Amino acid sequence: MCRMSALAATALGLALASGSPASALPWSKAKPAAAPVAAKTDAPAAPAPRRKATPAERVAVARMDPLARAAFWGRELEVDPADAEAGVQLSIALRTMGSYDDAIAAIGRTLAVQPDNIEALMELAKSHVGRGQGFYAIDPARRAQQLAPRDWRPPSLLGVAYEQAQRDEEALAAHRLALSLAPDNPSAISNLALFQASHGQSAEAEALLRKAIARPGAPMAVRQNLALVLGLQGRLDEAEKLARQDLPPELVANNMAWLRAATAPAPAGRSWQDVGRPQ
């Protein structure tokens, strides 16, 4: 079974206004007095300085598509290059679009200013995992774990990075540590389940994923991971039913075609779409 690493990417263009023109004063009805020639100037008015977005505006941008979010947070960084939240959010938006190199460059600038920022370290690791180069995610994920030893997210991410680096014993230990820190967290459960599934333990993986999707707030990816595991066992009808709960018909059709090929005697070299490690 293949390992799942890439996160889904969609983008729609949305223009963001960078400022508004200065308003002109109304014309005076009185005839203006003649001005000395030396005082005459045609220089344009200086543009108003940009301001940082308000907290409400920052919350609202989360509802936008990734391209619009990238534009918004890029503008915030232009206003304040030391804005760590803007750096992390810009990297997330770029990673969501599949622009992993740009995401890594963006978060690198944030880490240059705040090298111990846990969210930035996690984002750097996620971008390396997203492009399938988990080896380079190990160091930032370890650093994040050292800074936040009670947070389940760094070891769970570290487990995925170890998997991609083909260090399976360390991967399993990291996944188990994450689950011990957050035994009811659906994403931690799902990541361990995917590790089991990739090592031929389909029944154990299915049991864990069913446990995960029953948890409140389980993300869509957990349900789709269960669909993947069921499909790779040849239970295509069950897999399709789950897939249709979250994905549009064209993606369901693509995914089911891949599953049919993957369970046939001669698998085709395609990949499951829009399924990945929960964030």
mmCIF file of all heavy atoms in Angstrom, residues 80-110:
data_model
loop_
_atom_site.group_PDB
_atom_site.id
_atom_site.type_symbol
_atom_site.label_atom_id
_atom_site.label_comp_id
_atom_site.label_asym_id
_atom_site.label_seq_id
_atom_site.Cartn_x
_atom_site.Cartn_y
_atom_site.Cartn_z
ATOM 1 N N ASP A 80 4.319 44.486 8.033
ATOM 2 C CA ASP A 80 5.141 44.145 9.194
ATOM 3 C C ASP A 80 5.877 42.838 8.921
ATOM 4 O O ASP A 80 5.334 41.748 9.148
ATOM 5 C CB ASP A 80 4.259 44.010 10.444
ATOM 6 C CG ASP A 80 5.065 43.656 11.688
ATOM 7 O OD1 ASP A 80 6.312 43.646 11.613
ATOM 8 O OD2 ASP A 80 4.447 43.394 12.746
ATOM 9 N N PRO A 81 7.121 42.897 8.432
ATOM 10 C CA PRO A 81 7.862 41.673 8.099
ATOM 11 C C PRO A 81 8.111 40.758 9.299
ATOM 12 O O PRO A 81 8.431 39.586 9.116
ATOM 13 C CB PRO A 81 9.190 42.207 7.551
ATOM 14 C CG PRO A 81 8.883 43.600 7.085
ATOM 15 C CD PRO A 81 7.851 44.112 8.047
ATOM 16 N N ALA A 82 7.961 41.273 10.528
ATOM 17 C CA ALA A 82 8.189 40.461 11.718
ATOM 18 C C ALA A 82 6.905 39.824 12.241
ATOM 19 O O ALA A 82 6.908 39.217 13.312
ATOM 20 C CB ALA A 82 8.823 41.316 12.822
ATOM 21 N N ASP A 83 5.821 39.915 11.501
ATOM 22 C CA ASP A 83 4.523 39.380 11.918
ATOM 23 C C ASP A 83 4.539 37.862 11.765
ATOM 24 O O ASP A 83 4.391 37.333 10.668
ATOM 25 C CB ASP A 83 3.412 40.005 11.067
ATOM 26 C CG ASP A 83 2.015 39.650 11.546
ATOM 27 O OD1 ASP A 83 1.849 38.593 12.181
ATOM 28 O OD2 ASP A 83 1.089 40.436 11.282
ATOM 29 N N ALA A 84 4.714 37.156 12.883
ATOM 30 C CA ALA A 84 4.841 35.701 12.823
ATOM 31 C C ALA A 84 3.546 35.034 12.374
ATOM 32 O O ALA A 84 3.572 34.055 11.624
ATOM 33 C CB ALA A 84 5.262 35.155 14.187
ATOM 34 N N GLU A 85 2.416 35.539 12.838
ATOM 35 C CA GLU A 85 1.143 34.948 12.414
ATOM 36 C C GLU A 85 0.984 35.047 10.901
ATOM 37 O O GLU A 85 0.574 34.086 10.236
ATOM 38 C CB GLU A 85 -0.035 35.646 13.089
ATOM 39 C CG GLU A 85 -1.384 35.049 12.681
ATOM 40 C CD GLU A 85 -2.574 35.856 13.150
ATOM 41 O OE1 GLU A 85 -2.390 37.016 13.583
ATOM 42 O OE2 GLU A 85 -3.701 35.330 13.072
ATOM 43 N N ALA A 86 1.320 36.191 10.345
ATOM 44 C CA ALA A 86 1.211 36.372 8.901
ATOM 45 C C ALA A 86 2.140 35.417 8.164
ATOM 46 O O ALA A 86 1.773 34.836 7.134
ATOM 47 C CB ALA A 86 1.521 37.818 8.530
ATOM 48 N N GLY A 87 3.350 35.227 8.682
ATOM 49 C CA GLY A 87 4.292 34.320 8.043
ATOM 50 C C GLY A 87 3.795 32.885 8.034
ATOM 51 O O GLY A 87 3.883 32.181 7.016
ATOM 52 N N VAL A 88 3.253 32.454 9.170
ATOM 53 C CA VAL A 88 2.728 31.083 9.256
ATOM 54 C C VAL A 88 1.529 30.908 8.335
ATOM 55 O O VAL A 88 1.424 29.926 7.596
ATOM 56 C CB VAL A 88 2.355 30.747 10.717
ATOM 57 C CG1 VAL A 88 1.574 29.433 10.783
ATOM 58 C CG2 VAL A 88 3.609 30.654 11.581
ATOM 59 N N GLN A 89 0.610 31.871 8.370
ATOM 60 C CA GLN A 89 -0.604 31.751 7.556
ATOM 61 C C GLN A 89 -0.294 31.823 6.054
ATOM 62 O O GLN A 89 -0.939 31.148 5.249
ATOM 63 C CB GLN A 89 -1.604 32.833 7.947
ATOM 64 C CG GLN A 89 -2.186 32.662 9.345
ATOM 65 C CD GLN A 89 -2.946 31.349 9.509
ATOM 66 O OE1 GLN A 89 -3.575 30.881 8.578
ATOM 67 N NE2 GLN A 89 -2.873 30.776 10.702
ATOM 68 N N LEU A 90 0.666 32.638 5.677
ATOM 69 C CA LEU A 90 1.068 32.692 4.273
ATOM 70 C C LEU A 90 1.618 31.338 3.837
ATOM 71 O O LEU A 90 1.284 30.825 2.757
ATOM 72 C CB LEU A 90 2.114 33.786 4.055
ATOM 73 C CG LEU A 90 2.734 33.840 2.643
ATOM 74 C CD1 LEU A 90 1.666 34.085 1.586
ATOM 75 C CD2 LEU A 90 3.816 34.922 2.584
ATOM 76 N N SER A 91 2.443 30.739 4.675
ATOM 77 C CA SER A 91 3.016 29.440 4.346
ATOM 78 C C SER A 91 1.932 28.374 4.229
ATOM 79 O O SER A 91 1.970 27.529 3.322
ATOM 80 C CB SER A 91 4.046 29.040 5.406
ATOM 81 O OG SER A 91 4.684 27.831 5.066
ATOM 82 N N ILE A 92 0.946 28.414 5.124
ATOM 83 C CA ILE A 92 -0.157 27.449 5.066
ATOM 84 C C ILE A 92 -0.912 27.586 3.748
ATOM 85 O O ILE A 92 -1.228 26.590 3.082
ATOM 86 C CB ILE A 92 -1.115 27.642 6.254
ATOM 87 C CG1 ILE A 92 -0.428 27.216 7.564
ATOM 88 C CG2 ILE A 92 -2.406 26.848 6.050
ATOM 89 C CD1 ILE A 92 -1.245 27.527 8.804
ATOM 90 N N ALA A 93 -1.208 28.825 3.358
ATOM 91 C CA ALA A 93 -1.949 29.052 2.117
ATOM 92 C C ALA A 93 -1.163 28.545 0.917
ATOM 93 O O ALA A 93 -1.716 27.898 0.018
ATOM 94 C CB ALA A 93 -2.271 30.532 1.966
ATOM 95 N N LEU A 94 0.128 28.814 0.892
ATOM 96 C CA LEU A 94 0.958 28.365 -0.228
ATOM 97 C C LEU A 94 1.054 26.842 -0.257
ATOM 98 O O LEU A 94 0.994 26.221 -1.326
ATOM 99 C CB LEU A 94 2.351 28.983 -0.123
ATOM 100 C CG LEU A 94 2.417 30.505 -0.336
ATOM 101 C CD1 LEU A 94 3.790 31.035 0.077
ATOM 102 C CD2 LEU A 94 2.129 30.867 -1.793
ATOM 103 N N ARG A 95 1.187 26.241 0.909
ATOM 104 C CA ARG A 95 1.263 24.780 0.975
ATOM 105 C C ARG A 95 -0.048 24.154 0.506
ATOM 106 O O ARG A 95 -0.053 23.139 -0.201
ATOM 107 C CB ARG A 95 1.590 24.337 2.410
ATOM 108 C CG ARG A 95 1.546 22.825 2.618
ATOM 109 C CD ARG A 95 2.079 22.439 3.981
ATOM 110 N NE ARG A 95 1.376 23.071 5.074
ATOM 111 C CZ ARG A 95 0.230 22.605 5.590
ATOM 112 N NH1 ARG A 95 -0.349 21.529 5.082
ATOM 113 N NH2 ARG A 95 -0.332 23.215 6.617
ATOM 114 N N THR A 96 -1.164 24.755 0.884
ATOM 115 C CA THR A 96 -2.466 24.235 0.468
ATOM 116 C C THR A 96 -2.609 24.246 -1.050
ATOM 117 O O THR A 96 -3.254 23.377 -1.634
ATOM 118 C CB THR A 96 -3.591 25.070 1.100
ATOM 119 O OG1 THR A 96 -3.450 25.043 2.535
ATOM 120 C CG2 THR A 96 -4.966 24.524 0.753
ATOM 121 N N MET A 97 -1.980 25.221 -1.694
ATOM 122 C CA MET A 97 -2.020 25.291 -3.154
ATOM 123 C C MET A 97 -0.993 24.374 -3.809
ATOM 124 O O MET A 97 -0.917 24.284 -5.026
ATOM 125 C CB MET A 97 -1.784 26.731 -3.619
ATOM 126 C CG MET A 97 -2.910 27.682 -3.254
ATOM 127 S SD MET A 97 -2.736 29.297 -4.045
ATOM 128 C CE MET A 97 -1.298 29.954 -3.198
ATOM 129 N N GLY A 98 -0.170 23.710 -3.011
ATOM 130 C CA GLY A 98 0.861 22.847 -3.570
ATOM 131 C C GLY A 98 2.150 23.560 -3.899
ATOM 132 O O GLY A 98 3.045 22.956 -4.502
ATOM 133 N N SER A 99 2.276 24.832 -3.503
ATOM 134 C CA SER A 99 3.499 25.606 -3.770
ATOM 135 C C SER A 99 4.475 25.409 -2.613
ATOM 136 O O SER A 99 4.721 26.322 -1.811
ATOM 137 C CB SER A 99 3.155 27.091 -3.959
ATOM 138 O OG SER A 99 2.272 27.277 -5.041
ATOM 139 N N TYR A 100 5.025 24.202 -2.525
ATOM 140 C CA TYR A 100 5.809 23.843 -1.343
ATOM 141 C C TYR A 100 7.105 24.635 -1.221
ATOM 142 O O TYR A 100 7.487 25.030 -0.114
ATOM 143 C CB TYR A 100 6.106 22.335 -1.361
ATOM 144 C CG TYR A 100 4.857 21.495 -1.334
ATOM 145 C CD1 TYR A 100 4.503 20.697 -2.418
ATOM 146 C CD2 TYR A 100 4.015 21.506 -0.227
ATOM 147 C CE1 TYR A 100 3.351 19.936 -2.395
ATOM 148 C CE2 TYR A 100 2.859 20.752 -0.198
ATOM 149 C CZ TYR A 100 2.532 19.972 -1.283
ATOM 150 O OH TYR A 100 1.379 19.225 -1.266
ATOM 151 N N ASP A 101 7.787 24.869 -2.320
ATOM 152 C CA ASP A 101 9.029 25.629 -2.252
ATOM 153 C C ASP A 101 8.763 27.054 -1.759
ATOM 154 O O ASP A 101 9.524 27.589 -0.935
ATOM 155 C CB ASP A 101 9.710 25.665 -3.621
ATOM 156 C CG ASP A 101 10.279 24.312 -4.019
ATOM 157 O OD1 ASP A 101 10.411 23.441 -3.133
ATOM 158 O OD2 ASP A 101 10.591 24.128 -5.203
ATOM 159 N N ASP A 102 7.705 27.672 -2.261
ATOM 160 C CA ASP A 102 7.364 29.023 -1.815
ATOM 161 C C ASP A 102 6.952 29.014 -0.347
ATOM 162 O O ASP A 102 7.262 29.951 0.402
ATOM 163 C CB ASP A 102 6.232 29.592 -2.670
ATOM 164 C CG ASP A 102 6.669 29.876 -4.098
ATOM 165 O OD1 ASP A 102 7.884 30.073 -4.319
ATOM 166 O OD2 ASP A 102 5.808 29.910 -4.997
ATOM 167 N N ALA A 103 6.221 27.972 0.061
ATOM 168 C CA ALA A 103 5.802 27.868 1.465
ATOM 169 C C ALA A 103 7.015 27.756 2.380
ATOM 170 O O ALA A 103 7.073 28.375 3.447
ATOM 171 C CB ALA A 103 4.877 26.666 1.647
ATOM 172 N N ILE A 104 8.003 26.969 1.972
ATOM 173 C CA ILE A 104 9.214 26.792 2.770
ATOM 174 C C ILE A 104 9.997 28.100 2.844
ATOM 175 O O ILE A 104 10.518 28.474 3.903
ATOM 176 C CB ILE A 104 10.067 25.650 2.182
ATOM 177 C CG1 ILE A 104 9.373 24.316 2.438
ATOM 178 C CG2 ILE A 104 11.472 25.653 2.775
ATOM 179 C CD1 ILE A 104 9.968 23.154 1.675
ATOM 180 N N ALA A 105 10.064 28.819 1.729
ATOM 181 C CA ALA A 105 10.767 30.103 1.726
ATOM 182 C C ALA A 105 10.068 31.103 2.638
ATOM 183 O O ALA A 105 10.719 31.844 3.390
ATOM 184 C CB ALA A 105 10.850 30.655 0.308
ATOM 185 N N ALA A 106 8.739 31.127 2.601
ATOM 186 C CA ALA A 106 7.978 32.073 3.425
ATOM 187 C C ALA A 106 8.179 31.787 4.910
ATOM 188 O O ALA A 106 8.433 32.699 5.706
ATOM 189 C CB ALA A 106 6.497 32.014 3.055
ATOM 190 N N ILE A 107 8.075 30.525 5.296
ATOM 191 C CA ILE A 107 8.199 30.215 6.724
ATOM 192 C C ILE A 107 9.647 30.335 7.181
ATOM 193 O O ILE A 107 9.922 30.607 8.358
ATOM 194 C CB ILE A 107 7.636 28.811 7.022
ATOM 195 C CG1 ILE A 107 7.190 28.723 8.488
ATOM 196 C CG2 ILE A 107 8.625 27.729 6.689
ATOM 197 C CD1 ILE A 107 6.097 29.688 8.875
ATOM 198 N N GLY A 108 10.574 30.188 6.253
ATOM 199 C CA GLY A 108 11.982 30.381 6.607
ATOM 200 C C GLY A 108 12.271 31.797 7.050
ATOM 201 O O GLY A 108 13.083 32.026 7.957
ATOM 202 N N ARG A 109 11.588 32.769 6.427
ATOM 203 C CA ARG A 109 11.774 34.172 6.839
ATOM 204 C C ARG A 109 11.238 34.399 8.240
ATOM 205 O O ARG A 109 11.818 35.167 9.022
ATOM 206 C CB ARG A 109 11.102 35.092 5.822
ATOM 207 C CG ARG A 109 11.812 35.140 4.475
ATOM 208 C CD ARG A 109 11.277 36.234 3.576
ATOM 209 N NE ARG A 109 9.942 35.928 3.079
ATOM 210 C CZ ARG A 109 9.708 35.259 1.951
ATOM 211 N NH1 ARG A 109 10.711 34.807 1.217
ATOM 212 N NH2 ARG A 109 8.472 35.028 1.549
ATOM 213 N N THR A 110 10.147 33.735 8.572
ATOM 214 C CA THR A 110 9.603 33.863 9.927
ATOM 215 C C THR A 110 10.541 33.232 10.946
ATOM 216 O O THR A 110 10.797 33.789 12.016
ATOM 217 C CB THR A 110 8.216 33.210 10.003
ATOM 218 O OG1 THR A 110 7.319 33.908 9.139
ATOM 219 C CG2 THR A 110 7.667 33.238 11.422
#
